[in-house]
Amino acid sequence: MDADSDVALDILITNVVCVFRTRCHLNLRKIALEGANVIYKRDVGKVLMKLRKPRITATIWSSGKVICTGATSEEEAKFGARRLARSLQKLGFQVIFTDFKVVNVLAVCNMPFEIRLPEFTKKNRPHASYEPELHPAVCYRIKTLRATLQIFSTGSITVTG
Amino acid sequence: MAERGRCPECGSAALVEDAHYAQQQLVCAACGCVLAEGLLTTTYTDEEHLREVAYSQSTGQKEQLSRCLQRGIRRVQDLCKVLQLPTVFEETAVSYFQRALQHPSFHLVSLEKKELLGGCCVFVTCRQHNWPLTMGTICSLLYAKQELFASVYLSLQKELGLSVPALSLGDLVKTHLNSFRLFQHAADVPAPFVEDKEKMVARTMQIVELASETWLVTGRHPIPIVTAAAFLSWQSLQPPARLTCTLARFCKLAGVDLPPPAHLRLKELLEILLRMASQLAWLRVFKVDKKTVVKHIGDLLQHRIFLLKNAFCLEDGEEQRAAAPGEGSLGGGCPGSAPAAGGAAQEDGCPSEGKRQREGGPRPLLPPCLINPRKRLRTAAPSAADSAVTGDEPISDSEIEQYLRGPEEIRAFRKAKAWP
């Protein structure tokens, strides 16, 4: 590619997954009864709570562990997690917001060209793995960054890690 | 010197413990009478007392293979026999299986997974020797679910660090067509439907190569493409008799399963062939449609490089100026999203192409999902207000109230749901 035809690539973060602990036991039935926007999955023992403003879905377990997904940035994930902890506090639980950690970030990027996957796999042997019978994309793993890239033939790349 | 009592014969107290060969004996030193004999062999209870270290704590290793491993190896060997694989494959597959089973992540999995593990080892061995075996075949032989097989296969590849080369399409075509029952006369196959194997294999290979050049193979399951290509090649070898036969009937006569995506692949292949036919001089006079193009597949395949160049647009705009070698131009193609690509050299070409496209002229050579995008393209970066979020802003009560139910609501809900 020549320097003058360098196009700025838009990398869009589409999902950030984070976890935090409330350091107290949570009564899932009470949350399901008194919380709005809540789905109680009794068979697996968890409650799904959805927030509107940062569009976040939180999975709450009775042990006090909470996983938040759906944020579009790490700051927004923290923003949403704190709001969630506050809602649980208002429901009457002695919640302490601790051990907040961003676990996974998913980003999407589009290349302005198509990619021939079989040739790409041949040239990137140890890192790339392509099984057309299983998945239409090449799975490229970068061990040092602990990241996985899914490369599609249309030029769309999904980065997870 | 053991002194236990006296000798019953002579009454002497001189008793000696001596070994007669390997047998311990208590003998009277005076008269030679044997009072008691030791055992040549020890009993289990005796041995237990002699053991000071438990077997599980010792460094000893069982030379015999465990029953699970033996069963697994037998299963792997049976699979190789059913698939009629060479002996080398069997040995390699068994060695992989033994290595995998000793690995901590496979040692304690369920029996179902261990059986799939055997199948995965056979599959990996075949792929490494370029033997065309699909996952579908192995799954059907093991009566396994494809998802479970896929997960076991991926973890096997990761744990053992195996490098598995890609499936060769050419070999897959030959192997898949071997299972078709149209090459010999049979009671349920009408005479005009029987075909010569060599001709059909050759033509199917050409159609599959055409598909891989036109972005129909990348990222897709190979079997539906091979099935669709086989159908087209079979129809084109004797069009008058076979044009009325549908893909479903063809698969039934051939005795193979019809994979669901095969219809879509057939449609895409026909579209490509129609575009190529529009560039063939002696076909321009005729009105060629999906049915009639099949008759001319032979000619289209013969001149496919030239026709592909003409039917689909290239990087340099006009075809006459395109001196690029066939493969390079087909590989590059015109980028789909013209605004993003925007090179100076292309700006002259693209507007004229835009006009020609509307007239039904050459279209860019792209994967079908880019030509008919079903997904909405994602919106651009978030607004400035959102990007100022730090995560530590104060939280207002009103904001939280919207997520909690009021007391009347709770009462009504309780009554409706009848919570215990």
Side-chain angles (χ1 to χ4, degrees):
Chain A
M1 280 187 117
D2 339 321
D4 54 0
S5 69
D6 232 356
V7 179
L9 289 171
D10 263 336
I11 299 184
L12 206 67
I13 297 181
T14 52
N15 193 18
V16 174
V17 180
C18 64
V19 297
F20 69 92
R21 287 194 180 273
T22 57
R23 291 252 181 258
C24 73
H25 182 267
L26 299 170
N27 186 344
L28 297 184
R29 275 195 61 230
K30 185 169 183 217
I31 300 175
L33 182 63
E34 293 174 23
N37 300 2
V38 159
I39 303 170
Y40 184 20
K41 294 205 177 227
R42 202 183 282 189
D43 42 337
V44 285
K46 64 186 183 193
V47 158
L48 294 176
M49 186 160 177
K50 298 194 193 228
L51 299 184
R52 262 179 240 121
K53 197 172 154 259
R55 263 191 193 281
I56 277 178
T57 305
T59 310
I60 307 167
W61 275 273
S62 56
S63 61
K65 183 159 182 186
V66 182
I67 297 185
C68 295
T69 59
T72 53
S73 74
E74 295 180 37
E75 293 80 24
E76 204 179 288
K78 189 164 189 190
F79 188 83
R82 286 182 62 237
R83 258 139 200 78
L84 194 74
R86 190 86 175 91
S87 325
L88 291 174
Q89 237 172 21
K90 284 252 167 179
L91 282 171
F93 300 105
Q94 305 294 319
V95 164
I96 307 169
F97 185 72
T98 53
D99 296 340
F100 174 80
K101 193 169 103 157
V102 171
V103 171
N104 192 18
V105 176
L106 192 133
V108 169
C109 174
N110 248 304
M111 294 287 141
F113 47 80
E114 298 77 45
I115 303 168
R116 291 207 177 262
L117 302 181
E119 283 83 4
F120 177 84
T121 323
K122 263 187 227 157
K123 296 215 173 106
N124 294 278
R125 231 334 112 88
H127 305 285
S129 131
Y130 175 46
E131 293 293 332
E133 295 178 79
L134 296 179
H135 193 58
V138 170
C139 182
Y140 190 100
R141 286 183 200 269
I142 305 176
K143 271 204 175 133
T144 48
L145 301 171
R146 277 184 298 174
T148 306
L149 292 102
Q150 300 233 355
I151 302 163
F152 291 84
S153 58
T154 56
S156 167
I157 299 181
T158 311
V159 188
T160 331
Chain B
M1 275 229 291
E3 265 132 11
R4 261 184 292 146
R6 293 182 166 272
C7 172
E9 291 214 356
C10 65
S12 158
L15 300 170
V16 180
E17 254 197 38
D18 197 8
H20 177 64
Y21 298 110
Q23 207 174 14
Q24 282 288 98
Q25 287 174 336
L26 192 62
V27 185
C28 171
C31 63
C33 161
V34 177
L35 272 78
E37 273 177 331
L39 296 164
L40 271 175
T41 56
T42 47
T43 60
Y44 188 69
T45 40
D46 290 340
E47 276 194 350
E48 259 191 349
H49 295 303
L50 294 172
R51 257 194 238 154
E52 285 180 20
V53 178
Y55 184 77
S56 56
Q57 289 169 339
S58 71
T59 54
Q61 279 187 354
K62 264 199 189 153
E63 276 108 20
Q64 209 188 12
L65 299 170
S66 70
R67 229 186 303 170
C68 176
L69 188 57
Q70 283 178 352
R71 211 179 320 147
I73 291 177
R74 249 200 312 268
R75 200 86 174 89
V76 168
Q77 288 169 340
D78 290 341
L79 262 175
C80 294
K81 283 198 187 71
V82 165
L83 294 167
Q84 295 175 340
L85 302 176
T87 333
V88 180
F89 288 34
E90 200 176 298
E91 287 157 9
T92 321
V94 167
S95 75
Y96 281 152
F97 183 71
Q98 280 181 298
R99 265 175 66 195
L101 219 52
Q102 276 157 11
H103 204 277
S105 50
F106 290 117
H107 201 53
L108 300 170
V109 296
S110 65
L111 285 177
E112 191 189 358
K113 272 196 175 168
K114 280 188 177 149
E115 203 172 285
L116 288 182
L117 191 61
C120 288
C121 294
V122 174
F123 179 70
V124 166
T125 314
C126 289
R127 282 277 285 270
Q128 287 181 335
H129 292 266
N130 283 324
W131 189 277
L133 183 69
T134 57
M135 285 191 194
T137 316
I138 293 270
C139 284
S140 64
L141 282 174
L142 294 173
Y143 303 105
K145 289 178 282 217
Q146 182 107 1
E147 298 84 33
L148 196 58
F149 184 86
S151 70
V152 175
Y153 169 69
L154 290 171
S155 45
L156 174 74
Q157 207 181 357
K158 194 171 131 198
E159 299 295 344
L160 293 189
L162 303 168
S163 85
V164 184
L167 191 63
S168 147
L169 264 185
D171 294 333
L172 182 65
V173 166
K174 287 189 207 128
T175 317
H176 194 59
L177 288 185
N178 275 343
S179 59
F180 280 42
R181 289 189 306 116
L182 290 168
F183 307 123
Q184 274 136 29
H185 291 272
D188 53 345
V189 179
F193 284 12
V194 179
E195 188 51 70
D196 173 47
K197 190 169 171 186
E198 303 300 328
K199 275 198 249 172
M200 191 156 149
V201 168
R203 191 160 274 196
T204 311
M205 288 276 280
Q206 287 183 316
I207 297 183
V208 169
E209 275 163 18
L210 174 70
S212 69
E213 280 164 26
T214 52
W215 291 103
L216 296 184
V217 168
T218 309
R220 270 97 170 261
H221 201 292
I223 293 288
I225 299 170
V226 174
T227 312
F231 175 62
L232 279 178
S233 71
W234 173 80
Q235 270 192 329
S236 67
L237 288 168
Q238 267 193 50
R242 300 172 182 173
L243 266 181
T244 48
C245 181
T246 58
L247 180 59
R249 193 173 167 223
F250 169 76
C251 290
K252 205 163 140 201
L253 288 170
V256 294
D257 292 326
L258 173 61
H263 283 286
L264 290 167
R265 301 294 159 264
L266 183 65
K267 217 166 90 172
E268 286 164 3
L269 272 171
L270 284 171
E271 204 199 274
I272 299 280
L273 290 168
L274 275 172
R275 283 207 163 262
M276 284 165 66
S278 66
Q279 296 298 315
L280 202 54
W282 59 89
L283 288 182
R284 282 208 190 120
V285 203
F286 301 112
K287 192 165 171 267
V288 186
D289 68 3
K290 280 192 178 151
K291 287 281 181 186
T292 48
V293 76
V294 175
K295 295 186 219 166
H296 307 285
I297 284 183
D299 291 336
L300 294 173
L301 289 174
Q302 205 178 351
H303 305 282
R304 71 174 188 269
I305 298 176
F306 170 75
L307 294 173
L308 279 176
K309 238 194 268 190
N310 285 356
F312 301 100
C313 88
L314 307 169
E315 279 173 76
D316 296 334
E318 293 164 40
E319 306 102 341
Q320 286 85 8
R321 254 195 282 149
E327 228 190 87
S329 53
L330 291 173
C334 194
S337 47
Q346 290 169 5
E347 272 168 35
D348 308 322
C350 276
S352 64
E353 242 126 55
K355 269 191 241 155
R356 264 189 285 154
Q357 273 176 31
R358 272 173 244 132
E359 292 163 5
R363 72 150 166 81
L365 189 59
L366 293 173
C369 48
L370 279 182
I371 297 173
N372 312 314
R374 271 193 282 173
K375 265 191 193 171
R376 253 183 314 122
L377 290 168
R378 291 182 197 267
T379 49
S383 61
D386 288 347
S387 58
V389 166
T390 58
D392 292 316
E393 283 91 342
I395 308 169
S396 63
D397 277 351
S398 54
E399 205 184 328
I400 301 299
E401 291 300 326
Q402 61 177 316
Y403 296 121
L404 304 174
R405 289 200 175 117
E408 308 87 24
E409 221 185 312
I410 294 175
R411 252 179 270 132
F413 201 69
R414 230 190 211 134
K415 228 195 309 183
K417 275 254 176 168
W419 284 67

